[in-house]
Amino acid sequence: MDYVEVLADLDEQPVLHKSRLLLLLYAFAGENNEGAIEGITKLAKLDFLLRYPTMLKHALEVKGASTRDLSIEDHELYSVESEMVRYRFGPWDHRYRFYLNLLVGEGLIKVISEGRKVIIALTDKGFAFANKLSANSLMQIYTKRAGILKRHFDMTSTNLMNFIYDTFPEIVSLNSGKRIQL
């Protein structure tokens, strides 16, 4: 098996995606698990910045924030572990609902609908699991970046979406369904 096949297989495994989303929700949950992410669109924009560290670096620079704490490994300069596509509201992964349903089924997250608004939060079980996951050395890079996202990009879904559009106009110009590449 060659590296391309290994990476393609990895992208098809939900465990990496579920873990990344759990760590993102963990960063937004706060110390007492009282926080949440409001909306799948906001989750997608945050996950975009988490998956594409070079884009996160640029976004931090645009905001005038320090990039000193953001470490990007050499292999991440030219590739991502899992590409996203351009969709109606910007970067998107068509598997979000699948991953969220898996996490709900495992009792790790809760998805609360309030009219048209959807709130995604960790359950107590999910918070405890994400806490252990955040200490795993293999997941440290996501844990650290999710914390950076919480500090610098905890804004409304609309404001985050507009920031992404303004900061990355090349994504907005892509045809819907087109893969976002570095």
Side-chain angles (χ1 to χ4, degrees):
M1 183 178 287
D2 67 16
Y3 288 117
V4 173
E5 289 178 32
V6 170
L7 290 174
D9 288 344
L10 180 62
D11 188 41
E12 294 304 315
Q13 299 301 317
V15 68
L16 175 65
H17 301 288
K18 292 186 323 181
S19 297
R20 189 184 58 249
L21 293 174
L22 283 172
L23 290 172
L24 187 55
L25 288 163
Y26 181 69
F28 280 75
E31 291 180 16
N32 298 320
N33 194 24
E34 295 175 355
I37 293 178
E38 191 174 303
I40 297 174
T41 299
K42 180 175 180 177
L43 179 77
K45 302 307 167 269
L46 293 167
D47 188 41
F48 163 70
L49 294 171
L50 192 56
R51 287 189 196 194
Y52 291 79
T54 56
M55 304 287 196
L56 174 56
K57 181 177 187 227
H58 179 67
L60 288 167
E61 291 167 345
V62 167
K63 287 190 74 133
S66 172
T67 59
R68 184 180 66 243
D69 293 336
L70 180 66
S71 60
I72 300 176
E73 298 182 21
D74 289 342
H75 69 89
E76 293 177 299
L77 294 173
Y78 308 105
S79 67
V80 293
E81 114 274 322
S82 178
E83 293 179 335
M84 296 177 80
V85 297
R86 159 65 160 94
Y87 194 57
R88 285 188 316 194
F89 302 111
W92 187 257
D93 187 324
H94 294 286
R95 301 168 292 185
Y96 280 128
R97 284 183 171 72
F98 172 67
Y99 299 139
L100 293 176
N101 283 328
L102 289 175
L103 291 167
V104 167
E106 293 168 7
L108 299 174
I109 68 166
K110 53 190 170 191
V111 178
I112 304 156
S113 294
E114 295 179 357
R116 293 189 65 197
K117 182 170 56 170
V118 174
I119 298 168
I120 308 156
L122 293 171
T123 61
D124 290 339
K125 177 182 174 183
F127 186 78
F129 182 77
N131 183 39
K132 287 180 188 173
L133 190 62
S134 73
N136 183 309
S137 62
L138 296 173
M139 301 307 288
Q140 285 298 304
I141 197 144
Y142 291 121
T143 302
K144 189 174 186 178
R145 289 178 187 162
I148 290 170
L149 289 168
K150 170 65 174 156
R151 281 192 306 279
H152 297 286
F153 297 96
D154 189 8
M155 52 184 76
T156 67
S157 181
T158 301
N159 287 340
L160 183 57
M161 184 174 60
N162 289 334
F163 176 81
I164 296 289
Y165 286 176
D166 292 342
T167 306
F168 305 106
E170 65 275 16
I171 292 171
V172 178
S173 67
L174 290 174
N175 290 331
S176 186
K178 177 113 170 124
R179 289 190 172 274
I180 299 169
Q181 300 176 336
L182 296 176

